[in-house]
Amino acid sequence: MSTLSTHILAISTGKPAQGVKVILLRDETVIAEGSTDANGRISALASLTPGQYRLVAQTGAWFAAQGITTIFPCAQIDFTVAETAEGHFHLPFLIAPGGWSTYRGS
């Protein structure tokens, strides 16, 4: 079984995004949710079995709370956990009002 964590950084400020709601879905069903801590992290969001998932960060609400306008209500990462996968998945978000990016971290 694999585990999942995430980290959200606001690249326009270079600072962690505290208080972003994050939801993990599998087959359109919410299986875990949480909010980023003061360091912009959720260190243990869920344990994962093989399958397809969607990790959604509610960035629009976070930007609105900062007084920043964005056309993107959320950022999402669709990913697959293979049958043979074990270990840890760290999927960070780099967010800005004009878009977002991700990569597989360690």
Side-chain angles (χ1 to χ4, degrees), residues 7-28:
H7 188 197
I8 304 178
L9 294 172
I11 59 175
S12 59
T13 63
K15 295 183 180 178
Q18 179 181 5
V20 178
K21 183 177 180 183
V22 178
I23 303 166
L24 180 65
L25 300 109
R26 182 169 183 185
D27 300 323
E28 303 300 320

Side-chain angles (χ1 to χ4, degrees), residues 25-97:
L25 300 109
R26 182 169 183 185
D27 300 323
E28 303 300 320
T29 301
V30 174
I31 61 170
E33 58 185 286
S35 293
T36 55
D37 64 15
N39 293 315
R41 296 181 180 275
I42 300 176
S43 59
L45 185 60
S47 295
L48 306 172
T49 57
Q52 292 185 327
Y53 295 87
R54 175 170 289 158
L55 184 63
V56 181
Q58 301 294 328
T59 55
W62 184 84
F63 280 119
Q66 311 305 307
I68 300 169
T69 302
T70 180
I71 64 168
F72 301 108
C74 65
Q76 68 184 37
I77 303 169
D78 293 329
F79 67 102
T80 302
V81 175
E83 291 286 336
T84 58
E86 288 193 29
H88 186 70
F89 284 77
H90 182 67
L91 301 176
F93 291 91
L94 304 174
I95 63 171

